[in-house]
Structures are given as C-alpha cells and as structure tokens.
Amino acid sequence: MSVRSLNKVMLIGNLTRDPQMRFTPTGTAVGTFGIATNRSWVPSDGGERQEETEFHNIVAWSKLAEICGSLLHKGDKVYVDGRIRSRDWKTKEGEDRRTTEIVIDNMMLLSSRNGGSYTPSDDGAMGMPADEALAEPVASKPKKAAPAAEPEPMEEIKVEDVSDDIPF
C-alpha cells in the first residue's frame, strides 16, 4: 500500500542572526541560522491592524551550508525551501527537549548589505538583478581572454549549459 504525503516549506524572511558553521566528524558542513517571517491582518470586526512574527530555525548541509555561511548576514532578506524536521534531545542536565527546524534544499539571497538584489543560484544568474534572474534562467557565459591591444569586434557568443561544472 502506497500512501502519498508532502513535507515542503517555502519561506521568505529576514535573517535573525549570522549563520553558525559546524562540521560533522566526517567533515560535512552544517550551517544553522534563524529567519523571521511577518504577517499582518485586520480583524473581521474592524479593529486595529494586528501583526505577528514567527521565528524559524534553519539548517543547511554540505555545499549549501558553506554557501550560506559565506553569503548570508543578519538582516538579509532570503528565500529558502526545504522540509520540516522535529528532533528530540536531552540537555546536559538530562531534561528532554524537542526542537522543530527547517532543513533547506535551496536558498536565494534576495537582498545584499549594499542594497542590491541578486540570486546566488546554480543557473548562472549570480550577480543578476533578482527580477531578471527569476524571469529566465541563463547559463553562464565562458570567459574570454583579455584583449591585447585593440578590442575585437562584437560577435554572437553561443551560451552552453555548464551547470554540471559548477562546484556547488
């Protein structure tokens, strides 16, 4: 008997702290950080606007953890998607604890410290404004050697898919 289920989370929010990097005994990178999401609404009885903030614990593994550790900073707006995971653990004092966290598979930085927007993604759109990057994925163009004396005339460059060559 096959039972289908879905465990998928998509969040857009602001980092509440810089990512903390750790490594497993086998050398796998693990990054943790927090994201705050907000919502506001007006009650149906016409009262004052209400606001609510949720705080989410985020976990990234391997290359994604390293990327998060190097690119993300407190206050950055970020998109993440992944799955919910709950874990039980004991404190040093022996107390039982339970934590719920989001284990992410994807991350997109929506704002940088200097106010620009870009998306660090495997589709070659890094450094491209977010609106353009979301509109149509592009492959990264091969780099040409610097011209010696005079610039060469512009020619059409065929873009090839090099996404398998990207180290992350």
Side-chain angles (χ1 to χ4, degrees), residues 6-157:
L6 177 66
N7 182 353
K8 184 73 170 177
V9 176
M10 295 186 288
L11 298 172
I12 295 177
N14 293 46
L15 264 68
T16 60
R17 61 184 187 273
D18 287 343
Q20 297 175 343
M21 296 298 298
R22 295 186 311 265
F23 294 88
T24 65
T26 59
T28 304
V30 182
T32 58
F33 55 95
I35 291 180
T37 57
N38 303 307
R39 78 178 194 109
S40 62
W41 71 96
V42 176
S44 59
D45 64 2
E48 290 187 32
R49 176 171 291 282
Q50 303 289 314
E51 290 191 22
E52 177 180 75
T53 302
E54 287 284 332
F55 297 94
H56 312 277
N57 294 317
I58 310 297
V59 178
W61 288 87
S62 301
K63 277 292 192 190
L64 183 56
E66 294 174 17
I67 293 167
C68 290
S70 64
L71 291 180
L72 300 181
H73 302 285
K74 180 179 178 177
D76 286 342
K77 184 171 286 298
V78 67
Y79 163 85
V80 295
D81 72 54
R83 61 187 169 84
I84 295 176
R85 178 178 72 181
S86 295
R87 294 185 296 120
D88 295 322
W89 51 282
K90 288 190 183 265
T91 64
K92 292 178 183 176
E93 295 79 30
E95 297 175 14
D96 290 333
R97 296 286 172 103
R98 182 174 186 85
T99 187
T100 301
E101 53 202 11
I102 312 298
V103 179
I104 62 171
D105 300 317
N106 296 299
M107 179 275 299
M108 250 189 258
L109 182 58
L110 301 177
S111 66
S112 64
R113 290 202 161 268
N114 62 9
S117 296
Y118 62 97
T119 56
S121 60
D122 292 349
D123 63 5
M126 183 177 261
M128 180 181 291
D131 295 340
E132 293 176 33
L134 293 175
E136 182 178 333
V138 295
S140 42
K141 296 180 182 178
K143 292 185 179 177
K144 295 176 87 176
E150 294 183 31
E152 296 179 20
M154 295 291 285
E155 62 181 286
E156 186 171 320
I157 299 173

